[in-house]
């Protein structure tokens, strides 16, 4: 049976990290928490939980951003010979109960990047976020020559071969550009995407999002535009986006 890991990048997630990690235990073989220079006692909240043999805590002493935290988590998962790597955020916006559904899709669609697509109750997303996500979805779909239903979700399953082969720069401190590059460059390397529909979850007690609609959308657009221009506007990719439906794995919610 393929070994599985959940990688959870965390920066100042003391309020929610224990709840998220506890919910992941038993869903995967290994939980890897990457504390990205937190100063609110995030790791201390895992005392006791971290004694579990299936929980591995990595500490970055300085905040390098989500991209660097994900890269460290991926490296650790590969060291442990994990075949499937789930990523989810530490702020509780992703429901660990959906991990089973995403892993099921990963086995139905081998060598695919599986996306937890926030298509249910999408009206709950703040208007500017909803617009930014749809804007990004169109251009990421074009650049990767496939229909991408939620390009900005951080709830994903990566096959280990993709993580080994595709290694975008972690220069940008946030993970939005990094995760977009994984999607586009992964598709071009032979790892297209499939999706599982999940709820849009917005907790009333959640911290402010690290997503900056103006700056982050601009940086994502620059990355995607460069990928498209390098292929001479990549018109076949645009045609594939228009004519092909997204791959949606139908599964029963937990």
């Amino acid at each position: 049976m393929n070994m599985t890991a959940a990688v959870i990048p965390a920066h100042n997630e003391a309020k929610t990290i224990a709840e998220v990690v506890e919910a992941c235990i038993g869903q995967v073989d290994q939980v890897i928490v990457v504390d990205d220079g937190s100063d609110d006692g995030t790791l201390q909240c895992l005392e006791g939980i971290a004694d579990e043999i299936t929980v591995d805590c990595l500490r970055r002493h300085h905040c390098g951003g989500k991209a660097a935290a994900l890269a460290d988590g991926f490296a650790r998962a590969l060291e442990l010979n994990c075949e499937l790597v789930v990523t989810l955020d530490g702020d509780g916006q992703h429901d660990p109960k959906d991990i089973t559904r995403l892993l099921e899709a990963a086995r139905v669609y081998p060598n695919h990047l599986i996306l937890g697509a926030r298509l249910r109750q999408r009206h709950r997303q703040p208007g500017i976020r909803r617009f930014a996500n749809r804007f990004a979805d169109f251009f990421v779909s074009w650049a990767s020559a496939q229909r991408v239903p939620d390009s900005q979700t951080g709830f994903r399953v990566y096959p280990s071969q993709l993580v080994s082969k595709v290694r975008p720069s972690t220069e940008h401190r946030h993970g939005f550009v990094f995760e977009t590059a994984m999607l586009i460059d992964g598709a071009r390397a032979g790892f297209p995407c499939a999706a599982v529909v999940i709820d849009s979850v917005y907790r009333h007690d959640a911290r402010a999002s690290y997503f900056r609609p103006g700056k982050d959308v601009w940086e994502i657009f620059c990355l995607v535009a460069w990928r498209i221009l390098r292929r001479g506007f990549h018109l076949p990719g645009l045609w594939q986006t228009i004519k092909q439906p997204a791959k949606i794995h139908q599964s029963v919610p937990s």
Side-chain angles (χ1 to χ4, degrees):
M1 183 176 177
N2 293 338
M3 285 279 292
T4 59
V7 171
I8 308 173
H11 176 68
N12 291 340
E13 306 289 12
K15 199 169 8 177
T16 54
I17 191 65
E19 174 188 344
V20 172
V21 170
E22 286 179 330
C24 287
I25 295 173
Q27 303 277 350
V28 290
D29 298 305
Q30 191 75 33
V31 181
I32 302 168
V33 180
V34 185
D35 182 0
D36 187 34
S38 298
D39 57 14
D40 69 341
T42 291
L43 276 191
Q44 285 85 338
C45 294
L46 296 177
E47 290 178 1
I49 301 174
D51 292 337
E52 295 272 352
I53 194 169
T54 57
V55 179
D56 194 359
C57 294
L58 308 181
R59 168 72 171 166
R60 296 177 55 84
H61 293 288
H62 302 285
C63 179
K66 186 181 180 184
L70 283 171
D72 284 359
F74 287 161
R76 181 59 177 153
L78 291 177
E79 287 176 6
L80 296 171
N81 296 316
C82 294
E83 294 294 325
L84 296 171
V85 184
V86 182
T87 61
L88 68 162
D89 293 345
D91 62 357
Q93 72 163 291
H94 302 136
D95 187 348
K97 290 180 182 177
D98 285 325
I99 289 175
T100 300
R101 299 172 59 223
L102 268 66
L103 289 175
E104 176 188 301
R107 292 174 179 120
V108 172
Y109 293 97
N111 298 319
H112 279 63
L113 170 55
I114 306 300
L115 306 176
R118 299 161 294 176
L119 302 181
R120 283 201 303 258
Q121 304 181 42
R122 208 169 196 181
H123 64 277
R124 296 176 59 189
Q125 292 181 340
I128 186 66
R129 287 286 299 276
R130 188 163 62 248
F131 170 78
N133 285 343
R134 287 181 173 173
F135 179 84
D137 290 348
F138 173 77
F139 284 99
V140 172
S141 296
W142 182 354
S144 60
Q146 60 184 340
R147 185 76 65 83
V148 181
D150 186 357
S151 64
Q152 299 310 298
T153 180
F155 199 5
R156 303 179 172 193
V157 179
Y158 293 87
S160 60
Q161 301 96 319
L162 168 56
V163 171
S164 299
K165 190 171 185 179
V166 179
R167 301 194 178 194
S169 169
T170 59
E171 179 180 348
H172 291 277
R173 290 172 60 83
H174 58 73
F176 303 107
V177 171
F178 178 87
E179 289 171 309
T180 298
M182 288 294 286
L183 215 167
I184 296 171
D185 297 346
R188 293 182 176 186
F191 300 92
C193 73
V196 172
V197 176
I198 62 172
D199 287 321
S200 296
V201 178
Y202 292 92
R203 299 166 57 116
H204 71 277
D205 60 344
R207 58 154 171 77
S209 173
Y210 294 136
F211 183 78
R212 302 158 297 179
K215 189 174 189 299
D216 290 338
V217 170
W218 173 248
E219 291 181 354
I220 290 168
F221 177 76
C222 289
L223 169 80
V224 175
W226 177 239
R227 294 293 197 277
I228 292 172
L229 289 172
R230 284 176 62 186
R231 289 197 167 187
F233 284 99
H234 195 33
L235 294 181
L238 178 59
W239 176 241
Q240 290 291 101
T241 298
I242 294 170
K243 77 170 188 174
Q244 286 191 353
K247 294 179 184 176
I248 304 290
H249 177 65
Q250 301 298 331
S251 62
V252 178
S254 302

PDB file of all heavy atoms in Angstrom, residues 7 27 59 108 140 157 222 227 235:
ATOM      1  N   VAL A   7       1.137  17.349   4.584  1.00  0.00           N
ATOM      2  CA  VAL A   7       2.065  18.447   4.864  1.00  0.00           C
ATOM      3  C   VAL A   7       1.235  19.678   5.215  1.00  0.00           C
ATOM      4  O   VAL A   7       0.401  20.121   4.417  1.00  0.00           O
ATOM      5  CB  VAL A   7       2.982  18.731   3.655  1.00  0.00           C
ATOM      6  CG1 VAL A   7       3.782  20.015   3.878  1.00  0.00           C
ATOM      7  CG2 VAL A   7       3.917  17.550   3.419  1.00  0.00           C
ATOM      8  N   GLN A  27      -5.933   9.636   9.046  1.00  0.00           N
ATOM      9  CA  GLN A  27      -6.323   9.842   7.645  1.00  0.00           C
ATOM     10  C   GLN A  27      -5.150   9.549   6.711  1.00  0.00           C
ATOM     11  O   GLN A  27      -5.359   9.190   5.542  1.00  0.00           O
ATOM     12  CB  GLN A  27      -6.780  11.291   7.433  1.00  0.00           C
ATOM     13  CG  GLN A  27      -7.913  11.748   8.327  1.00  0.00           C
ATOM     14  CD  GLN A  27      -9.269  11.343   7.775  1.00  0.00           C
ATOM     15  OE1 GLN A  27      -9.387  10.882   6.648  1.00  0.00           O
ATOM     16  NE2 GLN A  27     -10.291  11.483   8.584  1.00  0.00           N
ATOM     17  N   ARG A  59      10.802  22.825  12.245  1.00  0.00           N
ATOM     18  CA  ARG A  59      10.809  24.216  12.695  1.00  0.00           C
ATOM     19  C   ARG A  59      11.731  25.049  11.820  1.00  0.00           C
ATOM     20  O   ARG A  59      12.919  24.769  11.695  1.00  0.00           O
ATOM     21  CB  ARG A  59      11.288  24.273  14.152  1.00  0.00           C
ATOM     22  CG  ARG A  59      11.621  25.650  14.679  1.00  0.00           C
ATOM     23  CD  ARG A  59      10.391  26.491  14.901  1.00  0.00           C
ATOM     24  NE  ARG A  59      10.721  27.733  15.593  1.00  0.00           N
ATOM     25  CZ  ARG A  59       9.913  28.775  15.689  1.00  0.00           C
ATOM     26  NH1 ARG A  59       8.710  28.724  15.144  1.00  0.00           N
ATOM     27  NH2 ARG A  59      10.270  29.866  16.318  1.00  0.00           N
ATOM     28  N   VAL A 108      -7.800   6.783  -8.276  1.00  0.00           N
ATOM     29  CA  VAL A 108      -8.571   6.638  -9.517  1.00  0.00           C
ATOM     30  C   VAL A 108      -7.831   7.312 -10.672  1.00  0.00           C
ATOM     31  O   VAL A 108      -7.858   6.822 -11.806  1.00  0.00           O
ATOM     32  CB  VAL A 108      -9.978   7.246  -9.350  1.00  0.00           C
ATOM     33  CG1 VAL A 108     -10.722   7.286 -10.685  1.00  0.00           C
ATOM     34  CG2 VAL A 108     -10.785   6.451  -8.329  1.00  0.00           C
ATOM     35  N   VAL A 140      -4.713  30.202 -15.670  1.00  0.00           N
ATOM     36  CA  VAL A 140      -3.971  28.988 -15.314  1.00  0.00           C
ATOM     37  C   VAL A 140      -4.430  27.827 -16.195  1.00  0.00           C
ATOM     38  O   VAL A 140      -3.617  27.006 -16.632  1.00  0.00           O
ATOM     39  CB  VAL A 140      -4.160  28.662 -13.824  1.00  0.00           C
ATOM     40  CG1 VAL A 140      -3.556  27.300 -13.491  1.00  0.00           C
ATOM     41  CG2 VAL A 140      -3.511  29.745 -12.951  1.00  0.00           C
ATOM     42  N   VAL A 157      -3.557  16.853  -3.445  1.00  0.00           N
ATOM     43  CA  VAL A 157      -2.761  15.631  -3.314  1.00  0.00           C
ATOM     44  C   VAL A 157      -1.768  15.588  -4.465  1.00  0.00           C
ATOM     45  O   VAL A 157      -2.165  15.617  -5.638  1.00  0.00           O
ATOM     46  CB  VAL A 157      -3.628  14.353  -3.334  1.00  0.00           C
ATOM     47  CG1 VAL A 157      -2.723  13.119  -3.212  1.00  0.00           C
ATOM     48  CG2 VAL A 157      -4.646  14.357  -2.203  1.00  0.00           C
ATOM     49  N   CYS A 222       1.564  37.547 -13.767  1.00  0.00           N
ATOM     50  CA  CYS A 222       2.882  37.673 -14.417  1.00  0.00           C
ATOM     51  C   CYS A 222       3.496  36.307 -14.687  1.00  0.00           C
ATOM     52  O   CYS A 222       4.040  36.054 -15.771  1.00  0.00           O
ATOM     53  CB  CYS A 222       3.817  38.512 -13.550  1.00  0.00           C
ATOM     54  SG  CYS A 222       3.396  40.267 -13.503  1.00  0.00           S
ATOM     55  N   ARG A 227       4.513  32.133 -18.857  1.00  0.00           N
ATOM     56  CA  ARG A 227       4.418  30.749 -19.317  1.00  0.00           C
ATOM     57  C   ARG A 227       3.686  30.688 -20.673  1.00  0.00           C
ATOM     58  O   ARG A 227       4.051  29.910 -21.548  1.00  0.00           O
ATOM     59  CB  ARG A 227       3.660  29.893 -18.294  1.00  0.00           C
ATOM     60  CG  ARG A 227       4.351  29.691 -16.943  1.00  0.00           C
ATOM     61  CD  ARG A 227       5.602  28.855 -17.078  1.00  0.00           C
ATOM     62  NE  ARG A 227       6.051  28.312 -15.806  1.00  0.00           N
ATOM     63  CZ  ARG A 227       6.797  28.958 -14.915  1.00  0.00           C
ATOM     64  NH1 ARG A 227       7.170  30.209 -15.170  1.00  0.00           N
ATOM     65  NH2 ARG A 227       7.166  28.383 -13.784  1.00  0.00           N
ATOM     66  N   LEU A 235      -1.920  28.894 -28.140  1.00  0.00           N
ATOM     67  CA  LEU A 235      -3.324  28.807 -28.555  1.00  0.00           C
ATOM     68  C   LEU A 235      -3.912  27.395 -28.432  1.00  0.00           C
ATOM     69  O   LEU A 235      -5.098  27.254 -28.105  1.00  0.00           O
ATOM     70  CB  LEU A 235      -3.469  29.333 -29.984  1.00  0.00           C
ATOM     71  CG  LEU A 235      -3.168  30.839 -30.137  1.00  0.00           C
ATOM     72  CD1 LEU A 235      -3.365  31.265 -31.582  1.00  0.00           C
ATOM     73  CD2 LEU A 235      -4.043  31.671 -29.196  1.00  0.00           C
TER      74      LEU A 235
END
